[in-house]
Amino acid sequence: MSKLNGRKPLYHQIRQYVTDQINQGIWKAGDRLPSEAELAKQFGASRVTIKTAISELIDNNAIYRVQGKGTFVSADASGEPVVYEPKKEENLGNRLIAFILPAIVSSFTTKLLDGMEKELSGKGYKLLYCSTASSQEEEKRVLNEVLALGVSGIVIFPVDGESYNEQILRLKLGHFPFVVVDRYFRGIETNSVCADNIEGGRLATEMLISLGHRQIGLVSTRITDTTSVEDRVAGYEKALSQHHIAVDHRLRITDFESIRLDSVLKDGQADPDASKAICTFIRSNPEMTAIFALNLSAGLTIVQAVESIGLRIPEDLSVVFFDQFEMADFAKVPPTCIVQDATEISKAAVELLLSAIRNPYGEPRRVTLTPQLLIRESCAPPSKKALQKNIFTIQ
């Protein structure tokens, strides 16, 4: 493995190495450069890093690429004339975009995938869908796999509980075009598109407060390192604060794993352990008259848990979800939801990605879209019986 100077960005060093080989006459005009895979092995670098260094040299006309043959040293600064222009359908790798998702388990993720495919198709690109099965290790493997395929860009819906994947940081450092959807990463500026989750959390909680609820519970997956969840909690607390309602940490349960809660979306039946935990949570907090569920799977698990202990929605407990429930018309009690516009998120993500493909060194942008409150039948003012419980508990 060739030794590089760790003080300089890796792609700068590789670019300088290639330039030196040419300037010193080691590689002459017309000589074929080692392949990207060979250079990656030689320097212990990623394909993204190699691709970035090579692309800059091509832009500077120091080298040129012939489709299907390799990369060659130019005769002079003007570069070599094009000797082969591939047809668009033969150059599929350069028109291929990877969309990486934890799983397709809800109407939101389904609409995201459909919207992304339609937007990209209209721009002459093909979509490659890849699932990470809600696993960070699988996410790393999939990222490496799609990069090896030579995709032009990546849209990624990160796994929950991820501050950021090391491979995603490498994409950033290598100026590879990618966009994060559903959230953003703290401490690393990337192109991202998501709903205004703070406003969504505030809207849901504000609506419950306007109905007269003061003891409002919160149920979610683990909060740490998932900005979409963190921001929804912040919105919930913001609404409570604006109405001078103390934040009571006893009225929240936030340690569920996504894969466990998602079983209700896949099988129609809530995970038994999750349902039991929610039942215990409700029984342990009789003063609680409403619950804000931070995602669809948590909301549907709550509905099944409430029914299993003989309570009624909304008479005994009001419930509001984050995310649309497409089967609401067939539900016993159609749920009130905070709705994200998956179509608009898809459009914005594709626009950002194509901009990044055109200009990999452009400033990253964060697009935040306002969610909507969709009022249905799962929320009502607290009953007199519930209010009496509250008064007794507060005293």
Side-chain angles (χ1 to χ4, degrees):
M1 181 185 297
S2 297
K3 186 177 180 181
L4 295 175
N5 182 354
R7 295 183 180 180
K8 293 182 180 180
L10 197 51
Y11 77 92
H12 280 196
Q13 298 179 60
I14 294 166
R15 182 184 63 192
Q16 188 60 53
Y17 166 78
V18 174
T19 300
D20 289 347
Q21 296 293 99
I22 295 171
N23 290 342
Q24 294 168 19
I26 298 171
W27 294 345
K28 297 179 173 50
D31 283 354
R32 181 183 179 278
L33 271 64
S35 68
E36 290 180 4
E38 290 168 335
L39 288 171
K41 182 178 180 181
Q42 179 180 348
F43 293 105
S46 70
R47 290 284 293 275
V48 176
T49 301
I50 301 298
K51 188 182 290 291
T52 300
I54 294 299
S55 295
E56 286 193 5
L57 289 165
I58 290 174
D59 289 343
N60 293 333
N61 293 320
I63 60 178
Y64 65 98
R65 181 177 287 131
V66 177
Q67 182 70 24
K69 295 184 180 294
T71 306
F72 300 84
V73 179
S74 296
D76 53 48
S78 64
E80 287 288 330
V82 176
V83 296
Y84 173 64
E85 183 67 36
K87 296 179 181 178
K88 287 186 177 180
E89 58 268 23
E90 293 176 336
N91 196 16
L92 180 60
N94 291 332
R95 310 295 291 180
L96 187 63
I97 302 297
F99 184 28
I100 301 175
L101 274 167
I104 299 177
V105 293
S106 66
S107 63
F108 176 64
T109 49
T110 301
K111 286 182 176 180
L112 269 182
L113 180 61
D114 181 61
M116 210 76 68
E117 195 280 329
K118 287 178 179 176
E119 287 296 313
L120 287 169
S121 178
K123 306 291 185 181
Y125 286 82
K126 295 293 183 182
L127 178 70
L128 172 66
Y129 161 66
C130 302
S131 170
T132 60
S134 298
S135 161
Q136 291 186 25
E137 286 304 312
E138 182 65 8
E139 185 177 86
K140 291 179 183 178
R141 188 195 68 77
V142 169
L143 276 166
N144 286 326
E145 190 175 74
V146 299
L147 288 170
L149 288 173
V151 297
S152 293
I154 298 172
V155 178
I156 181 166
F157 189 129
V159 172
D160 278 355
E162 178 175 88
S163 53
Y164 57 82
N165 190 315
E166 180 184 346
Q167 185 68 336
I168 294 175
L169 181 57
R170 289 181 178 178
L171 294 180
K172 164 71 175 177
L173 294 176
H175 299 281
F176 187 86
F178 75 100
V179 175
V180 176
V181 294
D182 184 65
R183 68 200 66 170
Y184 56 92
F185 293 130
R186 301 194 196 280
I188 172 173
E189 291 297 322
T190 66
N191 286 310
S192 65
V193 184
C194 61
D196 185 339
N197 288 295
I198 293 178
E199 177 61 8
R202 190 199 68 79
L203 280 173
T205 311
E206 176 74 32
M207 183 270 300
L208 291 170
I209 292 172
S210 71
L211 291 173
H213 296 279
R214 294 296 180 271
Q215 304 296 314
I216 302 170
L218 181 145
V219 176
S220 81
T221 51
R222 290 172 183 160
I223 296 173
T224 307
D225 293 332
T226 305
T227 53
S228 56
V229 178
E230 292 172 349
D231 285 353
R232 290 171 194 179
V233 174
Y236 159 83
E237 293 180 347
K238 180 179 181 179
L240 294 177
S241 176
Q242 287 174 338
H243 289 270
H244 309 290
I245 301 172
V247 174
D248 188 345
H249 287 270
R250 295 174 304 167
L251 299 181
R252 61 174 69 183
I253 179 168
T254 59
D255 59 353
F256 290 112
E257 294 181 3
S258 295
I259 196 166
R260 171 162 287 181
L261 287 181
D262 284 348
S263 66
V264 74
L265 301 175
K266 296 176 181 177
D267 309 323
Q269 190 64 39
D271 176 84
D273 290 337
S275 183
K276 182 179 179 181
I278 289 174
C279 287
T280 301
F281 171 63
I282 293 171
R283 286 180 173 135
S284 300
N285 297 284
E287 73 279 16
M288 183 170 61
T289 60
I291 296 180
F292 172 33
L294 268 64
N295 59 37
L296 179 59
S297 56
L300 293 176
T301 301
I302 290 168
V303 169
Q304 292 191 12
V306 168
E307 291 178 351
S308 73
I309 56 178
L311 296 180
R312 299 167 300 164
I313 297 174
E315 291 86 353
D316 299 310
L317 192 69
S318 289
V319 179
V320 57
F321 302 0
F322 205 108
D323 277 343
Q324 172 67 292
F325 179 45
E326 293 296 329
M327 301 298 289
D329 290 342
F330 301 96
K332 184 176 180 180
V333 180
T336 293
C337 300
I338 298 295
V339 180
Q340 306 180 78
D341 193 328
T343 301
E344 288 303 311
I345 291 175
S346 297
K347 287 181 179 178
V350 169
E351 180 182 336
L352 280 185
L353 185 63
L354 297 187
S355 176
I357 290 172
R358 290 190 294 269
N359 180 19
Y361 296 92
E363 287 296 318
R365 292 168 51 206
R366 184 192 301 177
V367 176
T368 305
L369 303 173
T370 303
Q372 303 297 318
L373 174 65
L374 180 58
I375 297 177
R376 295 200 185 97
E377 299 171 24
S378 65
C379 297
S383 64
K384 290 183 180 180
K385 182 179 179 181
L387 289 173
Q388 288 171 352
K389 279 184 184 179
N390 287 348
I391 293 170
F392 178 77
T393 302
I394 293 169
Q395 291 175 340

